[in-house]
Amino acid sequence: MSSLLLLFGAFFVLLLLGTPILFSLAAAAMLVLSSIDFLSPQIVMQRVYAGLDSFPMLAIPFFMAAGALMESGGISRRLVNFSSYLVGWISGGLGHVAVIASTIFAGISGSAVADTTAIGSTMIPMMKRKGYDASFSASVVAASGVIGPIIPPSIPLVLYGVISGVSIGALFMGGIIPGLMMTIGLMVLIYVKAKRSNWDIETEPFSYSGLVKSFVDAAGALVMPIIIVGGILGGIFTATEAAVVATVYALIVGLFWYRELELSQLPELFYHAGLNTAVVMVIVGVANLVGYVLTIEQLPLILSQWFTEHVTSVLMLLLVINLLLLAAGCFLDGGSAIIVFTPVLLPVVKSFGIDPVFFGVMMTVNLMIGTITPPVGLSLYISSGIANISIAQICKDILPFLLVQLVVLTLITLFPDIVLFVPQHFYSF
Amino acid sequence: MSLRKTSGFLGMLMRAEEVLLIGMKWSIISGMAGMVIVVFLQIVSRYVFSLPLAWSEEVARLLFICIVFIGAAVLARQEGHLAVTVLIDQLPKRIRRVANAFSALVGLICAYYLVRGGWSTLLREWDQRTPGLQFPMGVIYAVIFASVMLMMLWLFVIMVKNCRLAIAKETS
C-alpha cells in the first residue's frame, strides 16, 4: 500500500506543479522502482517500447487523420445543412441542428475536441447571426461534442481496448446506444427550453426537396459511419483496418467528390495527426512502465482486496468509481485518465464480476463528460473561444446540459444492459 | 523573429535546429503516409487477391513507433506535451517560471534514463532483424536513440531558459 501511495502521491504532486503528464507518470514510476532497487535504464526503455508496440493502437492516428481530412474536405458545412432540413423545423431550431450534426460527425471522428471544433466553427457563428444567445449556442455545441467519442469510432475506447485487452469492436458497438441517448436527451432539453421561454426566433423552413437535395449533397459524409460500423459489425475488418479504410475514403471524397481538399494540404494534415498521436501515445508508453510497477508490487491485487473488504455491493463500487472518475475528469483529459486508471481499476472491477465491455463504455462516458466540466474542460474552452464569450458565462449555461449527460451516465450505470445490448445481440466477440 | 540575423556559433546552432525540425516534420509526414499505404495494401491484398501480407503489420508498427518517438522530441521542443496547468497559472509569473524549470528538470531525468536505455538497447539489438522483412532493428533503435537524445537536449534548453527568466529583472 505504501508503494501505491508513493506512486500516486508523486504523480499528483508533479501533475499539480504543471509537469507534463508523461513525465509525472514516468518519474513517479521510477521513484517506486528505485525505492525497491529495481530501477534500470534498460527496463524503462523496454517497457516504454513495449507499450507502443501494438498494431491495434494504429487506429488512433488513422482515425485522427480521417477526421481531419473530412473536416478539411468541406464535410461539416454539408452535415449542418442536411441536419438543418432534418430537424431545424422543430421548436428550438438550430439547437437541434447542432446536436444532430455533432451526432453524425461523431460517426466520423473519434474525439470530443474534433467534434466540437468541426461543428462549432460552422454552427456557432450561424446561430449568433440568427439571434440565438451566444452562450446558449456555445453550450449546445460543447455538450454535443461529448457524443463524439462515445458513438464509434472512438479514440478513448481504442485506448481502453488495447490496455484492457477487450475487443475494440465490442466496445465500439457498446457506445452506440449511450451516445444516442445523449442525443435524445439534449434535444428534449432544447425543446423544453424553447417552449418554456417562448423563443421568438424563427425555426428553419422545412421542405422535402431541400431535405433530399441536402441529403444527396451530404451523402459522401453519411456513408462513412456506415463503412466503419458496418465493416466492424460484419466482421469484414478490424477497428484498425476500418480506420485506415476511413482515411482512404475521406481522401477520395475530399479530393475527387467534393473537391475542397487540396493535395498541398495533406502534409500539414498528416503532420498534425502524427503529432496529436504522439501526444497521446507517449503517455501510453510511459503508462506501461507504471503497469510494470503495479505488477511487481501486486498493487491491483492489494487494491481488489481492499475494495472487497470495504465495498459491499457492485452498485456501491460503481458509484465510488464514477465519483472518482468525475473528479479526475475535471482536471485530466479523458484519454490520459483512461490510460492511468484502467490498469488500476480493471482488476478490481473484474473481481466484482462486472463486464469489462460495459465498464469501458461507462468509464468513457464518464470521462468525456469531463470535456465540459471546469476548470479543465477542453470543449468548453474551444466553443467559448469560437463564440467569443467568457469561461464563467459558459460554465453557468452548460449546467442543464451537464445534468442531461449525468442522467445518461446514471442510467447506464444502473442498467448495464443498455450498453451491452448491441454488442451481445449483433456482434460476436 | 530575428532568427536569420543571429550570427556566429549561436546562429549556426539555430539554423541547424531549424533544418532538424523540418527533417523531423517530414519524417512524421512520410511515416503517416507509409502507415496508411501499408495497412490499406494489407486489406486490398487480403480481399482482392486473397493474399494475406506477412510484413505489412510489422512495417506499420515500426513506423508507428518511430513517429511517436520523433513526435515526442518535437513536442518537447514546442512544450506541447499535455500538462495540467490550472494551478500554476494562478501563481505569480516568477514562481511559475521556477515551476516550469523544475518540470523540465523532471523531464530531463526521465529522458536521461531513456537515453541510457536507448543506447544499451541499440548496442545489444544492432544485429537483430525483424521476422517478416529481415529489416535491421538497429535502424529503429537508432531513430529512437536520436529522438530521446534530442528530447533531453531540448528539455535542458527549456530548463535553462526558465531559470534565466526566473532570476532576470522584470524589464519587459
Side-chain angles (χ1 to χ4, degrees):
Chain A
M1 208 65 186
S2 66
S3 319
L4 190 67
L5 283 179
L6 180 63
L7 184 71
F8 275 87
F11 173 59
F12 282 116
V13 168
L14 288 173
L15 203 62
L16 290 177
L17 282 171
T19 309
I21 300 173
L22 104 126
F23 298 135
S24 305
L25 269 181
M30 280 160 52
L31 212 58
V32 177
L33 282 176
S34 78
S35 78
I36 52 170
D37 271 334
F38 255 71
L39 182 61
S40 88
Q42 281 89 334
I43 286 178
V44 174
M45 193 56 175
Q46 261 168 27
R47 284 288 132 187
V48 173
Y49 183 93
L52 300 174
D53 193 10
S54 141
F55 186 68
M57 280 294 186
L58 266 72
I60 293 173
F62 293 155
F63 280 132
M64 282 187 175
L69 287 167
M70 276 295 198
E71 161 65 1
S72 300
I75 293 298
S76 38
R77 203 186 63 242
R78 290 180 169 85
L79 280 182
V80 165
N81 196 20
F82 169 62
S83 311
S84 169
Y85 280 107
L86 196 66
V87 291
W89 47 272
I90 304 172
S91 197
L94 288 181
H96 300 295
V97 176
V99 177
I100 290 295
S102 291
T103 306
I104 302 175
F105 201 80
I108 293 170
S109 94
S111 91
V113 169
D115 208 5
T116 309
T117 317
I119 300 305
S121 54
T122 317
M123 255 345 274
I124 293 174
M126 187 168 153
M127 290 178 84
K128 277 172 84 174
R129 214 164 42 239
K130 294 247 168 136
Y132 289 80
D133 178 53
S135 180
F136 168 79
S137 315
S139 304
V140 173
V141 168
S144 327
V146 173
I147 303 166
I150 294 171
I151 286 183
S154 162
I155 286 165
L157 285 176
V158 171
L159 287 170
Y160 175 84
V162 177
I163 295 168
S164 65
V166 172
S167 151
I168 296 171
L171 289 164
F172 275 15
M173 297 308 127
I176 295 177
I177 296 182
L180 293 177
M181 283 168 72
M182 282 196 178
T183 306
I184 296 167
L186 292 176
M187 286 179 73
V188 169
L189 175 69
I190 293 166
Y191 183 80
V192 171
K193 253 180 167 313
K195 280 282 176 203
R196 263 233 309 252
S197 51
N198 277 322
W199 280 359
D200 50 1
I201 304 168
E202 258 181 70
T203 54
E204 301 302 300
F206 178 79
S207 80
Y208 278 109
S209 63
L211 184 64
V212 172
K213 238 185 103 198
S214 64
F215 172 77
V216 173
D217 194 36
L222 295 171
V223 171
M224 188 123 147
I226 298 170
I227 295 179
I228 295 170
V229 174
I232 297 173
L233 262 187
I236 301 169
F237 32 63
T238 61
T240 311
E241 290 174 341
V244 85
V245 170
T247 309
V248 173
Y249 175 77
L251 260 173
I252 294 170
V253 169
L255 288 173
F256 305 116
W257 187 340
Y258 292 149
R259 294 184 187 181
E260 285 186 29
L261 191 67
E262 310 226 345
L263 272 176
S264 58
Q265 288 174 290
L266 294 186
E268 213 51 44
L269 280 174
F270 274 170
Y271 181 52
H272 281 112
L275 274 191
N276 286 335
T277 303
V279 167
V280 182
M281 287 309 298
V282 288
I283 301 173
V284 174
V286 166
N288 197 44
L289 179 67
V290 178
Y292 174 73
V293 174
L294 292 175
T295 314
I296 52 174
E297 285 287 272
Q298 295 190 313
L299 292 173
L301 191 72
I302 296 168
L303 207 63
S304 298
Q305 277 166 355
W306 189 86
F307 268 101
T308 14
E309 271 168 36
H310 293 83
V311 179
T312 43
S313 75
V314 170
L315 213 58
M316 190 66 190
L317 176 76
L318 289 177
L319 180 74
V320 171
I321 290 179
N322 267 317
L323 289 175
L324 170 81
L325 292 177
L326 280 173
C330 287
F331 297 94
L332 276 175
D333 83 296
S336 311
I338 284 180
I339 299 164
V340 174
F341 287 112
T342 302
V344 183
L345 292 178
L346 195 67
V348 177
V349 166
K350 275 184 173 162
S351 72
F352 275 76
I354 296 166
D355 189 290
V357 172
F358 156 72
F359 183 68
V361 175
M362 185 200 83
M363 191 168 174
T364 302
V365 170
N366 181 312
L367 289 169
M368 289 308 120
I369 293 175
T371 57
I372 55 165
T373 52
V376 184
L378 269 179
S379 296
L380 280 187
Y381 288 110
I382 293 168
S383 71
S384 63
I386 300 172
N388 206 3
I389 53 166
S390 73
I391 286 284
Q393 183 64 39
I394 192 174
C395 283
K396 211 178 78 212
D397 285 311
I398 197 94
L399 274 176
F401 297 97
L402 188 62
L403 216 63
V404 169
Q405 318 271 33
L406 289 173
V407 168
V408 173
L409 176 64
T410 312
L411 282 175
I412 63 169
T413 306
L414 290 175
F415 310 104
D417 282 331
I418 298 174
V419 172
L420 293 172
F421 182 78
V422 181
Q424 276 175 354
H425 291 271
F426 300 99
Y427 185 78
S428 47
F429 59 92
Chain B
M1 288 298 282
S2 56
L3 210 75
R4 297 255 164 229
K5 284 177 195 149
T6 319
S7 57
F9 184 59
L10 191 65
M12 215 169 74
L13 271 182
M14 285 169 100
R15 275 186 291 277
E17 187 195 39
E18 211 178 350
V19 173
L20 195 63
L21 281 170
I22 292 172
M24 292 168 95
K25 177 177 173 175
W26 281 95
S27 312
I28 291 175
I29 295 167
S30 22
M32 286 287 293
M35 282 196 317
V36 172
I37 292 167
V38 164
V39 179
F40 191 67
L41 257 173
Q42 168 181 322
I43 304 169
V44 172
S45 166
R46 195 177 62 218
Y47 278 105
V48 183
F49 305 109
S50 312
L51 196 86
L53 297 179
W55 49 270
S56 56
E57 230 186 87
E58 179 183 290
V59 173
R61 250 182 21 234
L62 294 177
L63 283 173
F64 180 62
I65 290 168
C66 290
I67 289 174
V68 175
F69 274 99
I70 299 171
V74 175
L75 287 166
R77 168 69 180 78
Q78 297 176 343
E79 301 183 55
H81 280 296
L82 277 183
V84 179
T85 55
V86 260
L87 189 76
I88 62 161
D89 282 346
Q90 312 302 318
L91 300 174
K93 219 182 213 165
R94 205 173 279 264
I95 301 177
R96 211 162 65 213
R97 295 262 156 77
V98 176
N100 287 343
F102 175 73
S103 294
L105 176 67
V106 172
L108 194 63
I109 296 168
C110 299
Y112 170 69
Y113 273 84
L114 287 172
V115 166
R116 274 184 52 192
W119 180 244
S120 62
T121 320
L122 178 63
L123 292 181
R124 202 181 53 239
E125 307 280 330
W126 183 251
D127 294 322
Q128 184 94 5
R129 282 173 186 271
T130 63
L133 268 190
Q134 297 296 309
F135 185 78
M137 278 305 283
V139 175
I140 305 297
Y141 285 113
V143 171
I144 293 175
F145 176 72
S147 301
V148 289
M149 192 75 198
L150 282 170
M151 180 158 89
M152 192 171 81
L153 286 175
W154 273 320
L155 285 167
F156 179 73
V157 173
I158 289 167
M159 185 182 75
V160 172
K161 186 190 79 184
N162 276 301
C163 284
R164 286 181 57 177
L165 285 171
I167 51 174
K169 283 204 189 85
E170 289 290 336
T171 43
S172 55

